[in-house]
Amino acid sequence: MEREHVRSMVRDLLLARRFEERAGQAYSEGEFGGFLHLYSGEEAVAVGVLHAAEPSDYVVSTYREHVHALVKGVPPGRVMAELYGRRDGCSGGMGGSMHLFDRERRFMGGYAIVGETFPIAIGIAYGIMLRRLPEAVICFFGEGAANQGTFHESLNMAALWRLPVLFVCENNRYQIGTEIHRQAAIPDIHTRACAYGMPGERADGMDVLAVHEVAQRMLHAIRSGQGPQLLELDTYRFRGHSMADAGAYRSRTEVESYKQAGPLQRVEQKLVAPMDRLNGSPAALDEASLQQLRDEVEQIVEAAVAFAEASPAPTLTDAWDAFHAPGRHETLIRAEQKHG
Amino acid sequence: MAETLAYWQALNRAHDVEMAGDDSVFVLGEDVGLYGGSYRVTEGLHARYGEWRVRDTPISENSFAGLGVGAAMIGLRPVVEIMTVNFALLAIDAIVNMAAKIPFMSGGQFAMPLVLRMPGGVGKQLAAQHSQRLEHTLMNVPGLRIAVPATPQDAWWQLRQAIASDDCIVLLEHVMLFGEKGEVDLHAAPPPMHQAAIRRPGKDLTIIAYSRMANLAQEAAEILAGEGIDAEVIDLRSLRPIDWALCVDSVRKTRHLLIAEEDCRFAGAGAEIAATLTERCFDVLAAAPLRLGGLDLPTPFNAALEIASIPQIADIVEAARRLCRPPGKE
Ligand SMILES: Cc1ncc(C[n+]2csc(CCOP(=O)(O)OP(=O)(O)O)c2C)c(N)n1
Ligand SMILES: [Mg+2]
């Protein structure tokens, strides 16, 4: 793989971590409320998969989607402004952390009802097929969502009509406080794909290069008309389910052991290691360039916060405009806009 | 002998006594067991009663609510927690097509001793998909009974009554009420589950509300009292059935009706209340009933807009003034 590409993936891993930690800080300082689900620990999944995506591919995600949006190219300032509920947020301050949307960049939304990403994804894929385009849909979901009816219903339809979807399971082993063995009869989610005659694979979701490699191969096959596939990535969230969750159901030892093997640690071990540890192949990065990237993302994230803070709050008129905006050509009787 | 309990604690205690007293009562839902429930309502029950009576489920709302229906058909008393009302939309088939209809369409062969608990309402920036009020949806379903406790005392009474009932009861809780504390008399005999309560007697107007809005209406009434407007506040406590007799008596006395609801005003609970009370009290009403409700808009994320999207105390006060002192009649 090209040195530049590795560098840009590492940059996105660092950006993702810094963005999330900074968002968590702003939340703790009371800058905004609601539910905030951070992605720390899972970065290699979004970065590896989305670096294998084309700009013409679509992404559908969950409520834990800030990083998917960032890597898909939504400007950090617009993501942060949405978390702050501001007018310049990528959803105009109407959606918040769980509902990031960016139509232009084909970021098709964050959905907060578990299991909603599947039908949306097959709908987009159906449209792609109808128009015979060489595009794919990337559908992210947590392992807990694989027990929702929509998972089975949508996989069946996707396989039946050979729809171009890559289903990406972010298996972080927990559905809020319920560990996977207490909620899934078959905890190896990728094996469920065979029930629908769909290829299913599993990879190490802490290793960005491994994720990228498998996602690229699968997406290539999907775009060339070979039908849907399912990719399960083993990962772990370092923080609570949301800011409201102290995470008492996981032992400190468990959390620490995953942290030791986290995606950034992997990068440092694998990509920045001295020559001898890499059997003669040159390291993609050295410590100095890594530090340079860290400084770069620090600036990007601080600029995003400044952008969010400077953005005005939306007004009630903005809310009504958002409600009535998209492509309503027919004349509606305007609803009463005030209660009472 | 009263104790001070938070709303969630009152619900927790109600579960506990009912489970201790009847081993056909069992609880199921997402994270109700080891985790203790998203709002702590089932805290400690898993340790006390074990996993067969406090079951953590996968995220499969339609099927685990349906499981509750099947178990109720053979005489168990399931208490299904749907983490929030928003997810009940995925279980609407089990609730509406199964639970509500089986007793009737079996010709009365089956009872439905099922409780469906679900918190709803606008919280603090929970955004459009997590801020819904679905009472209008459920009120329109024959075969369901809907209790809406607004106080810890009612939470304690109504959950116990719901578990003891042979009908399917939906208990609509409110996300902003779980932490609210109040005096709970654990030994007092409860009023009938669907009886409304007069929170404050008054003679100038009737304010009808339910759930969190009933508490806001009561605060508004105190402000109005300072201005010489004597409001009677009714907490419905139940949305299906509605205690019409109590409401009719009040409106006939005050001749002015204001309804406050958090749900979207359009086709909401308030529409039903206004229509029925107009039919029954038209001859005495001094003015058209006034309805306050949520904007006809999904809930915005931005904090200020979120607040603006549902009635606040000041809105209730203002509406009451308008109703009792129409401009030009000062
Ligand atoms: C239909 C529905 N049921 C319940 C919830 C509450 N809830 C939010 S996230 C979550 C756990 C999801 O776990 P998983 O799919 O593994 O994703 P993760 O959060 O681990 O990324 C639950 C139960 C919801 N949002 N939607
Ligand atoms: Mg998970």
Side-chain angles (χ1 to χ4, degrees):
Chain A
M1 188 184 300
E2 280 174 41
R3 224 182 144 78
E4 252 330 286
H5 192 193
V6 172
R7 204 182 122 88
S8 88
M9 283 204 290
V10 173
R11 173 192 168 278
D12 280 355
L13 287 177
L14 292 168
L15 173 65
R17 178 68 56 88
R18 186 64 201 129
F19 186 95
E20 292 294 73
E21 295 303 318
R22 189 64 183 81
Q25 182 193 331
Y27 183 93
S28 303
E29 290 166 1
E31 294 290 347
F32 52 89
F35 290 132
L36 184 71
H37 308 84
L38 300 179
Y39 200 59
S40 300
E42 308 189 35
E43 298 90 344
V45 171
V47 174
V49 170
L50 294 176
H51 271 259
E54 298 291 336
S56 56
D57 292 339
Y58 294 86
V59 173
V60 186
S61 190
T62 67
Y63 44 86
R64 199 184 296 288
E65 88 285 33
H66 313 155
V67 174
H68 305 93
L70 291 173
V71 185
K72 189 69 174 109
V74 185
R78 304 214 50 203
V79 178
M80 194 64 88
E82 191 57 40
L83 305 194
Y84 275 67
R86 300 295 169 86
R87 196 182 202 168
D88 297 299
C90 58
S91 305
M94 300 304 153
S97 158
M98 305 193 288
H99 307 299
L100 305 175
F101 287 82
D102 189 336
R103 185 176 172 189
E104 190 187 318
R105 294 181 178 81
R106 301 199 165 185
F107 189 77
M108 305 303 280
Y111 297 88
I113 305 296
V114 172
E116 284 184 335
T117 63
F118 308 113
I120 302 260
I122 65 169
I124 296 166
Y126 197 92
I128 293 173
M129 282 298 268
L130 209 62
R131 296 186 187 131
R132 302 177 177 282
L133 296 169
E135 298 169 350
V137 184
I138 298 166
C139 173
F140 288 100
F141 65 102
E143 85 295 337
N147 301 319
Q148 194 64 283
T150 50
F151 170 81
H152 301 277
E153 294 165 357
S154 299
L155 259 65
N156 180 50
M157 282 186 267
L160 183 64
W161 300 321
R162 299 180 71 76
L163 303 179
V165 185
L166 178 62
F167 295 100
V168 180
C169 178
E170 310 188 296
N171 188 346
N172 60 14
R173 295 192 35 215
Y174 285 86
Q175 156 200 316
I176 307 187
T178 304
E179 203 269 338
I180 185 161
H181 293 93
R182 299 184 62 250
Q183 38 105 337
I186 305 280
D188 305 300
I189 306 297
H190 69 287
T191 64
R192 299 188 191 188
C194 78
Y196 304 99
M198 187 187 295
E201 289 192 41
R202 165 176 236 160
D204 180 356
M206 292 299 194
D207 181 342
V208 73
L209 295 183
V211 173
H212 180 262
E213 195 260 333
V214 58
Q216 193 162 46
R217 177 162 46 75
M218 291 176 110
L219 278 169
H220 187 76
I222 290 166
R223 279 190 221 101
S224 65
Q226 294 177 36
Q229 304 203 20
L230 192 154
L231 174 58
E232 175 181 9
L233 297 166
D234 292 306
T235 184
Y236 197 79
R237 58 172 162 72
F238 292 170
R239 310 188 49 135
H241 170 74
S242 70
M243 295 298 280
D245 171 29
Y249 46 86
R250 307 189 302 188
S251 73
R252 193 190 289 261
T253 334
E254 176 181 312
V255 178
E256 274 313 310
S257 72
Y258 277 100
K259 281 189 176 171
Q260 297 308 317
L264 295 174
Q265 277 71 9
R266 291 294 186 82
V267 163
E268 285 172 14
Q269 285 157 13
K270 218 169 159 175
L271 299 174
V272 195
M275 287 268 246
D276 54 334
R277 293 233 321 261
L278 291 165
N279 302 326
S281 62
L285 283 168
D286 54 23
E287 182 50 48
S289 51
L290 198 60
Q291 189 52 46
Q292 207 180 345
L293 290 177
R294 285 196 196 101
D295 295 343
E296 186 189 323
V297 304
E298 179 68 28
Q299 278 173 22
I300 293 170
V301 171
E302 285 315 312
V305 171
F307 177 83
E309 283 173 353
S311 175
T315 64
L316 211 43
T317 308
D318 293 328
W320 285 110
D321 285 349
F323 189 59
H324 292 297
R328 297 259 177 113
H329 300 305
E330 80 273 39
T331 310
L332 288 176
I333 302 166
R334 277 276 165 149
E336 264 181 90
Q337 301 201 348
K338 274 201 174 148
H339 51 74
Chain B
M1 198 184 26
E3 264 183 67
T4 304
L5 293 180
Y7 188 90
W8 72 266
Q9 289 171 314
L11 291 167
N12 182 261
R13 295 279 278 269
H15 276 96
D16 195 12
V17 293
E18 291 301 322
M19 291 182 81
D22 181 351
D23 63 12
S24 62
V25 178
F26 73 104
V27 174
L28 75 161
E30 291 154 19
D31 278 317
V32 296
L34 279 187
Y35 195 75
S38 295
Y39 295 95
R40 301 179 67 184
V41 169
T42 52
E43 200 171 86
L45 300 179
H46 185 268
R48 217 160 303 148
Y49 299 102
E51 69 175 353
W52 276 94
R53 292 187 66 201
V54 184
R55 178 61 75 185
D56 282 318
T57 65
I59 310 175
S60 310
E61 282 85 2
N62 198 11
S63 295
F64 73 69
L67 184 160
V69 173
M73 289 177 77
I74 60 161
L76 278 89
R77 297 190 170 274
V79 182
V80 175
E81 172 175 301
I82 305 216
M83 196 181 275
T84 79
V85 88
N86 308 281
F87 317 145
L89 289 171
L90 284 87
I92 217 81
D93 182 54
I95 300 170
V96 176
N97 279 325
M98 303 180 204
K101 296 189 177 43
I102 287 171
F104 173 75
M105 68 187 183
S106 66
Q109 296 179 70
F110 291 96
M112 193 51 63
L114 170 67
V115 181
L116 297 153
R117 292 183 37 244
M118 49 189 94
V122 174
K124 288 200 170 129
Q125 289 197 273
L126 304 185
Q129 290 190 319
H130 275 69
S131 305
Q132 297 176 90
R133 296 76 68 193
L134 294 181
E135 39 270 29
H136 61 283
T137 309
L138 299 170
M139 277 176 73
N140 195 245
V141 181
L144 298 180
R145 291 167 61 188
I146 305 170
V148 276
T151 63
Q153 179 73 67
D154 279 341
W156 159 256
W157 276 334
Q158 289 181 299
L159 177 55
R160 292 199 61 191
Q161 291 171 312
I163 294 173
S165 168
D166 281 337
D167 291 342
C168 179
I169 312 288
V170 177
L171 204 74
L172 288 178
E173 298 155 6
H174 194 294
V175 291
M176 295 294 278
L177 291 180
F178 285 113
E180 297 271 298
K181 290 193 173 131
E183 292 292 295
V184 179
D185 187 333
L186 296 169
H187 302 290
M193 180 166 41
H194 298 286
Q195 184 173 303
I198 295 179
R199 289 279 199 92
R200 180 190 190 283
K203 60 179 191 336
D204 295 336
L205 87 154
T206 300
I207 307 179
I208 297 182
Y210 59 90
S211 191
R212 176 169 177 260
M213 261 322 133
N215 300 349
L216 300 196
Q218 205 172 350
E219 289 188 49
E222 295 313 317
I223 296 171
L224 289 164
E227 300 177 6
I229 297 177
D230 187 18
E232 178 147 301
V233 177
I234 295 178
D235 174 359
L236 284 179
R237 296 179 71 250
S238 165
L239 288 175
R240 186 181 180 99
I242 286 176
D243 184 355
W244 293 120
L246 184 135
C247 296
V248 166
D249 286 350
S250 175
V251 173
R252 288 201 158 273
K253 177 177 70 177
T254 67
R255 303 172 58 233
H256 294 88
L257 172 60
L258 171 63
I259 302 151
E261 66 186 312
E262 193 178 305
D263 202 353
C264 295
R265 202 176 85 120
F266 185 79
E272 176 60 39
I273 297 164
T276 301
L277 291 178
T278 303
E279 283 168 2
R280 298 219 193 158
C281 309
F282 187 73
D283 57 318
V284 298
L285 281 173
L290 210 55
R291 284 184 291 145
L292 281 178
L295 294 184
D296 196 18
L297 187 72
T299 307
F301 172 73
N302 174 274
L305 296 186
E306 175 183 75
I307 290 170
S309 75
I310 56 169
Q312 305 295 328
I313 293 171
D315 298 317
I316 301 174
V317 170
E318 176 54 33
R321 279 186 200 132
R322 250 192 295 151
L323 194 60
C324 294
R325 298 186 190 134
K329 285 199 183 171
E330 287 290 285

